[in-house]
Amino acid sequence: MALDRKSATKTGVWKSGAGRGRKTPKGRQVTDQAWAELREVLGDRPRRRDLLIEFLHLIQDRYGHLSAAHLRALAEELRLSQAEVYEVASFYAHFDVVKEGESPPPALTIRVCDSLSCELAGAQALKSALEDGLDPGQVRVLRAPCMGRCDTAPVLELGHNHIDHATPEKAHAAIAVGAIHPTIPEYETLAAYSAAGGYGALRDLRASGDWEAVQAQVKQSGLRGLGGAGFPSGTKWGFVRANPGPRYLAVNGDEGEPGTFKDRHYLERVPHLFLEGMLIAAWAVEAERCYIYMRDEYPAVLEILRREIAALEEAGIAEPGHIELRRGAGAYICGEESAMIESIEGKRGMPRHRPPYVAQVGLFGRPTLVHNVETLHWIARICREGPEVLSATTHNDRVGLRSYSVSGRVARPGVYLLPAGSTILDIIDAAGGMAEGHVFKAFQPGGPSSGLLPASAADVPLDFDTLQPLGTFIGSAAVVVLSDQDRARDAALNMLRFFEDESCGQCTPCRVGCEKAVKLMQAERWDAGLLSELCTAMADASICGLGQAAPNPILSTIKHFPEEV
């Protein structure tokens, strides 16, 4: 029988009543204190859903962790479910979620890089020494993926201060003086860049330029995407322009491929070459807004970009709000363009199924042009110096220049701008030869995704399309050199542990496959047949490039170094 309207108004009938019903809804409640603290942290910033990760950073920076009370208040402030806020906060490595009854982390955190270059330089011994010599109640020591400083391995990060060629003594000294903030290197400011002719090309194009003519110049130069995929850069512009606006431009600055540090190298020295290239590309596709997604491991770069974007706005070169700087939160998968777009939108960085492609349906469902930092660096140079800045250089029948990030067993690790047809011997020679006491044995041509090649492949140019016959690719040109003192199987295991940690977990072949591969690779002798079957399943069925490329270190080690496995 239906409940009559009169009785329904009596106390205690509904859960909001004072009888046996609840006085509040189920679940965690907002507290006045947490809400007031949150609003003080957020200030007058707009309460937009896509700023969720930015807001999580603000809370983490202020309090050193994300308490359950603050997450609940943030959900209320943004009109989101608690589950949605929690799933984003718990997805990223640089957020510390603390529930009721749990102890927050210590005030200081040391992250020790354990990428291949740092492991070769003694990162494991460094981490053990720090753990033994520090009070865990005062300082937390964590392993961390590549920090983009492979040229100064081993590296650790104390707060946001990177310590190069790190030792326990350096760490203790930094802790003693509270050195937890990044050191900002000297770089070319807007004034210096403009005095040398900077932004002249952008002004001319905005006044009377033809975007198709610029696109033709970019194509003529031979420029291809330098984030790893190698797609012809100018071609993208036409794809994006073919779709109705509004359109956006997204910059992939999540340089997380271990061994890669070329983007950081350029941004810490000549940031305005990149910024002008970005504004030229945005002009070409009539992008309403530019989003720069920069990895959290580059705090100095983030500060440089904040300063120089403000300078561009003050000078009238960029309209206020035209450029938005977004800070990553420790997720390698966000280097994949659709995962990066999800992260910019304030979500977990999980790759999208394609089609549709981001040129059609990208940021906020609109056509989006995605470029890598170095790609935009070269677009500015092409517009200033002509396509010949790349196309005039030939070597080993290859055209153009490449920025190789070189680390490992070489005398002078660093970024080297060399002809695109350079061989590994050319690159080692540019880096001062092998480190003293080491004999060249193997190399990683383009990050862990590219696997390992033996020294016998020394005559192959390291460029796009030249390494496919060897079952690999140039990727981001992250070259790590191994010597006779290293085991290929240990290097491969280091790479698979990285992929195991960084898998977003969306698809089973990658999530489970990386975990099973690590377990199989720890055996005294590898089961090559079983590992090969696992690699086939991962490569064929994974959603994105992480799972598809993760088998490469295994397969290349089995192929080129069978005596070790």
Side-chain angles (χ1 to χ4, degrees):
M1 184 173 68
L3 186 67
D4 65 56
R5 187 180 301 274
K6 183 177 179 180
S7 64
T9 62
K10 292 182 179 179
T11 301
V13 172
W14 303 113
K15 289 187 176 182
S16 59
R20 298 180 62 186
R22 292 178 177 273
K23 293 183 175 63
T24 62
K26 287 184 178 181
R28 186 177 287 118
Q29 303 303 304
V30 182
T31 67
D32 291 340
Q33 180 182 348
W35 206 353
E37 290 171 348
L38 174 73
R39 286 178 166 176
E40 193 273 326
V41 168
L42 299 189
D44 60 357
R45 295 175 177 85
R47 296 337 193 226
R48 300 202 319 254
R49 168 67 179 80
D50 62 292
L51 294 174
L52 173 58
I53 294 173
E54 295 297 306
F55 293 162
L56 292 171
H57 274 304
L58 292 174
I59 301 168
Q60 175 84 30
D61 289 346
R62 173 70 65 87
Y63 294 101
H65 63 281
L66 303 175
S67 70
H70 285 141
L71 292 180
R72 176 64 184 91
L74 184 58
E76 188 74 20
E77 191 73 3
L78 294 180
R79 297 295 187 265
L80 297 174
S81 69
Q82 294 184 65
E84 194 168 1
V85 173
Y86 176 79
E87 72 176 12
V88 173
S90 59
F91 181 85
Y92 296 93
H94 290 186
F95 295 138
D96 296 302
V97 177
V98 178
K99 299 178 183 178
E100 293 92 346
E102 295 180 345
S103 298
L108 284 179
T109 294
I110 291 179
R111 289 183 165 89
V112 180
C113 178
D114 68 353
S115 70
L116 180 55
S117 297
C118 283
E119 185 168 288
L120 294 176
Q124 296 302 327
L126 172 63
K127 180 173 179 288
S128 297
L130 291 170
E131 290 172 334
D132 293 340
L134 293 169
D135 179 359
Q138 300 296 319
V139 183
R140 177 176 57 162
V141 180
L142 302 175
R143 57 184 288 263
C146 186
M147 298 177 182
R149 309 182 78 86
C150 316
D151 52 334
T152 56
V155 172
L156 63 80
E157 186 181 26
L158 173 62
H160 290 297
N161 175 32
H162 286 98
I163 299 177
D164 299 324
H165 302 297
T167 63
E169 292 74 23
K170 286 185 178 181
H172 286 290
I175 292 170
V177 298
I180 60 173
H181 301 294
T183 299
I184 309 301
E186 291 188 11
Y187 63 90
E188 187 178 40
T189 62
L190 174 59
Y193 183 72
S194 297
Y199 292 103
L202 175 65
R203 283 192 295 269
D204 292 343
L205 290 172
R206 284 176 170 175
S208 59
D210 177 356
W211 78 270
E212 290 179 313
V214 179
Q215 178 182 244
Q217 275 193 313
V218 174
K219 288 182 176 180
Q220 186 181 347
S221 73
L223 179 65
R224 294 171 65 168
L226 296 170
F231 191 83
S233 298
T235 304
K236 285 185 176 183
W237 295 4
F239 291 161
V240 176
R241 287 277 305 222
N243 295 284
R247 308 181 189 95
Y248 298 111
L249 182 147
V251 178
N252 193 338
D254 198 66
E255 188 179 43
E257 188 76 13
T260 314
F261 48 97
K262 58 186 178 61
D263 290 353
R264 178 185 63 81
H265 174 88
Y266 289 121
L267 288 171
E268 289 185 346
R269 290 162 176 80
V270 285
H272 283 282
L273 266 175
F274 150 69
L275 288 168
E276 183 174 12
M278 177 189 72
L279 292 172
I280 289 171
W283 163 84
V285 299
E286 297 181 338
E288 291 197 1
R289 186 166 294 178
C290 303
Y291 291 85
I292 303 174
Y293 189 86
M294 187 56 55
R295 66 187 311 223
D296 197 32
E297 290 85 350
Y298 288 175
V301 169
L302 283 161
E303 179 58 27
I304 289 169
L305 290 176
R306 289 188 194 102
R307 294 177 183 179
E308 298 311 305
I309 290 170
L312 288 175
E313 293 177 348
E314 186 177 352
I317 296 172
E319 291 291 328
H322 180 65
I323 305 172
E324 285 205 27
L325 179 61
R326 295 298 178 86
R327 177 179 166 191
Y332 164 76
I333 191 63
C334 291
E336 196 275 339
E337 64 177 8
S338 66
M340 175 194 68
I341 284 173
E342 289 285 297
S343 191
I344 292 174
E345 293 180 354
K347 305 171 186 174
R348 293 176 296 169
M350 289 193 168
R352 297 176 179 177
H353 291 273
R354 287 170 288 189
Y357 296 93
V358 298
Q360 302 166 295
V361 182
L363 264 172
F364 312 115
R366 305 308 308 164
T368 303
L369 175 65
V370 178
H371 273 316
N372 163 262
V373 168
E374 193 197 355
T375 304
L376 294 168
H377 170 102
W378 283 110
I379 285 173
R381 291 197 59 182
I382 290 165
C383 290
R384 291 180 64 176
E385 305 170 45
E388 298 80 17
V389 69
L390 289 177
S391 62
T393 301
T394 60
H395 182 58
N396 287 335
D397 297 323
R398 308 301 299 175
V399 177
L401 296 167
R402 291 302 302 265
S403 300
Y404 296 97
S405 304
V406 188
S407 60
R409 307 299 193 182
V410 294
R412 295 193 304 269
V415 173
Y416 293 92
L417 183 62
L418 300 172
S422 298
T423 66
I424 185 61
L425 294 183
D426 294 328
I427 293 168
I428 292 174
D429 184 61
M434 293 295 293
E436 186 176 355
H438 292 269
V439 177
F440 178 41
K441 172 183 177 178
F443 66 102
Q444 174 185 281
S449 301
S450 67
L452 289 170
L453 290 176
S456 58
D459 59 344
V460 179
L462 271 61
D463 194 17
F464 296 118
D465 309 321
T466 59
L467 296 171
Q468 278 78 350
L470 298 178
T472 185
F473 48 83
I474 186 62
S476 59
V479 178
V480 180
V481 178
L482 304 183
S483 78
D484 56 339
Q485 299 182 28
D486 307 310
R487 293 205 305 172
R489 61 171 287 157
D490 292 342
L493 179 58
N494 176 279
M495 300 177 202
L496 262 295
R497 281 178 171 150
F498 168 77
F499 289 128
E500 179 188 22
D501 287 343
E502 296 299 328
S503 172
C504 75
Q506 180 178 186
C507 64
T508 303
C510 176
R511 181 183 68 249
V512 177
C514 290
E515 177 190 357
K516 297 301 182 185
V518 167
K519 290 180 179 178
L520 291 170
M521 294 168 74
Q522 290 174 316
E524 184 176 348
R525 300 298 299 177
W526 288 8
D527 186 335
L530 183 57
L531 276 168
S532 297
E533 289 182 23
L534 180 61
C535 290
T536 299
M538 292 172 65
D540 289 349
S542 295
I543 291 173
C544 80
L546 191 156
Q548 295 163 11
N552 288 340
I554 303 171
L555 297 174
S556 60
T557 301
I558 291 173
K559 178 180 179 180
H560 299 299
F561 306 96
E563 69 282 357
E564 293 192 19
V565 302

